[in-house]
Amino acid sequence: MENNKNNPFIEIVDHKVTELPDPKKDKDKDQDKDQDKYTTKLQDEPQDIESEGNPEVQSDIKTEIKSEAKQEKHHKHAGHSRDQKEPEEKKPGVLSEIIEWIKILVFAAVAAFLLNNFVIANSTVPTGSMENTIMAGSRVFGSRLKYTFGDVARDDVAIFIYGYTCRNCGAEYRETDAGVCPNCGQADSKNRVIYYVKRVIGMPGDHIEIKKTGEVDASEISKLPVKSSTGKVPVGTLYVNGEAKEEVYLPEPMICDGNQFPEVDVTVPEGCYYMLGDNRNNSMDARYWGSNNFVKRDRMIAKVYVKYWPLSEMGIVH
């Protein structure tokens, strides 16, 4: 108990020893807490190692950080203001839409013109002259490129220029070397072009013949009405350079009586072609064109590849 008496921070209460607060120790604890707060604050804020323990540098750092934060906030606010001030896009007016539609229509028209005049040929076969390969009223597509960059081949089904319809007198006529309407003299260039679709039978230099070679029952002829007292109909065979040609595309035997259905014996000139219809018994083809019965190479427009109308007849043309 003697030692306790000498210690001013020990108090005896009811025979119990109680230690009184030591001011010096409390002061040390407060300093430690302040140091911990200061250390924590420095950890939260960026600083240079050299600034540790220097209050003036620390103050400058805090001021700089606050300044940067204000600037960033100001930039964000300014950007937000600009976004709000930007005017909304104006919707195109009626005039602009009309102009755009005109552009589209002009482009489509130009594309169609180029396609139809340089790439494909679109033709209607109004008669039954190519039956049963192409039926009457069918529409077909042909390739202009085939004859622009390639050659005409035997058995091609081709679109070609036959002649013209005169816009002055209305006459339909076969093209001639004179280049004018035989009735009124109006130039071919002023008249409407007539296109035919036929099969290439004779190539340049070929010797083409159609000869009467037999008879068949009249019942075998169905593409036109025929009358025969004997019940028989004379038919013929096509010869190319002296050899009989098997024409699998004919729908029925070819009538050859030497009158309405003439025999043929011609040699195809260079640069020309001899054209006949598949429906030989009902076709106005080279057999009936008189002296101008060949088609020149530059009048061959396109090779027919596809029939597309009516849909029931759609298919490849052979």
Side-chain angles (χ1 to χ4, degrees):
M1 297 295 293
E2 291 296 327
N3 293 334
N4 293 337
K5 289 179 180 181
N6 295 330
N7 189 341
F9 301 106
I10 301 297
E11 180 180 4
I12 301 174
V13 180
D14 294 335
H15 304 286
K16 294 181 180 179
V17 179
T18 303
E19 185 175 358
L20 297 177
D22 188 340
K24 185 177 180 179
K25 290 182 179 180
D26 291 342
K27 185 177 180 180
D28 292 339
K29 289 180 179 179
D30 292 340
Q31 290 179 351
D32 291 340
K33 290 180 179 179
D34 292 340
Q35 184 65 27
D36 291 341
K37 291 179 180 179
Y38 173 69
T39 302
T40 302
K41 192 169 185 179
L42 290 180
Q43 288 175 351
D44 294 338
E45 298 176 355
Q47 59 180 329
D48 295 335
I49 295 177
E50 295 181 357
S51 69
E52 291 183 0
N54 189 336
E56 294 180 359
V57 175
Q58 293 170 3
S59 177
D60 292 342
I61 291 172
K62 293 177 181 179
T63 302
E64 184 177 352
I65 291 172
K66 289 180 179 179
S67 176
E68 291 178 354
K70 287 181 180 180
Q71 291 179 0
E72 183 178 357
K73 184 177 180 181
H74 174 72
H75 290 323
K76 289 182 178 179
H77 179 72
H80 181 66
S81 299
R82 284 195 298 270
D83 293 340
Q84 290 180 339
K85 292 179 181 179
E86 286 182 359
E88 295 182 358
E89 292 185 4
K90 294 182 179 180
K91 295 182 178 180
V94 175
L95 181 60
S96 298
E97 291 186 4
I98 292 175
I99 292 174
E100 289 301 318
W101 275 107
I102 291 174
K103 289 179 180 179
I104 293 172
L105 293 175
V106 169
F107 175 80
V110 172
F113 173 81
L114 295 176
L115 188 67
N116 197 48
N117 285 275
F118 298 99
V119 180
I120 66 171
N122 179 22
S123 183
T124 300
V125 181
T127 69
S129 66
M130 285 297 293
E131 293 181 359
N132 291 335
T133 304
I134 303 172
M135 304 304 289
S138 295
R139 297 190 66 86
V140 297
F141 277 138
S143 170
R144 292 178 182 269
L145 298 178
K146 170 63 178 176
Y147 290 164
T148 300
F149 301 104
D151 297 324
V152 178
R154 191 187 308 281
D155 290 334
D156 279 359
V157 175
I159 300 172
F160 60 94
I161 295 176
Y162 163 79
Y164 300 89
T165 298
C166 183
R167 297 183 187 276
N168 183 44
C169 66
E172 291 187 2
Y173 61 95
R174 172 81 175 103
E175 182 181 44
T176 66
D177 293 336
V180 297
C181 172
N183 288 355
C184 67
Q186 178 161 280
D188 291 345
S189 59
K190 296 181 180 180
N191 297 329
R192 185 172 62 86
V193 178
I194 298 175
Y195 297 97
Y196 270 12
V197 177
K198 305 291 182 187
R199 190 178 294 274
V200 178
I201 298 299
M203 300 291 288
D206 280 351
H207 181 210
I208 304 298
E209 298 173 282
I210 297 178
K211 299 178 181 180
K212 179 181 176 182
T213 54
E215 293 181 337
V216 297
D217 289 337
S219 60
E220 295 186 35
I221 306 300
S222 61
K223 293 299 182 180
L224 80 166
V226 294
K227 292 182 179 180
S228 173
S229 58
T230 63
K232 299 290 184 179
V233 176
V235 294
T237 301
L238 172 68
Y239 292 85
V240 178
N241 299 322
E243 295 185 5
K245 180 175 175 59
E246 183 181 2
E247 298 185 279
V248 296
Y249 40 77
L250 296 184
E252 60 187 15
M254 175 176 55
I255 300 175
C256 181
D257 61 3
N259 296 306
Q260 182 180 353
F261 302 94
E263 292 186 308
V264 171
D265 188 349
V266 297
T267 299
V268 183
E270 289 299 322
C272 296
Y273 302 89
Y274 193 74
M275 314 293 292
L276 296 177
D278 286 358
N279 185 9
R280 209 66 51 82
N281 296 332
N282 193 13
S283 173
M284 187 58 65
D285 50 37
R287 293 172 296 172
Y288 305 101
W289 295 348
S291 59
N292 192 25
N293 55 347
F294 304 104
V295 179
K296 295 180 180 179
R297 177 63 178 85
D298 62 354
R299 315 317 274 169
M300 301 291 285
I301 302 301
K303 177 181 177 179
V304 175
Y305 281 102
V306 177
K307 48 186 176 181
Y308 67 91
W309 189 262
L311 295 179
S312 59
E313 295 293 328
M314 182 180 292
I316 304 299
V317 174
H318 299 287

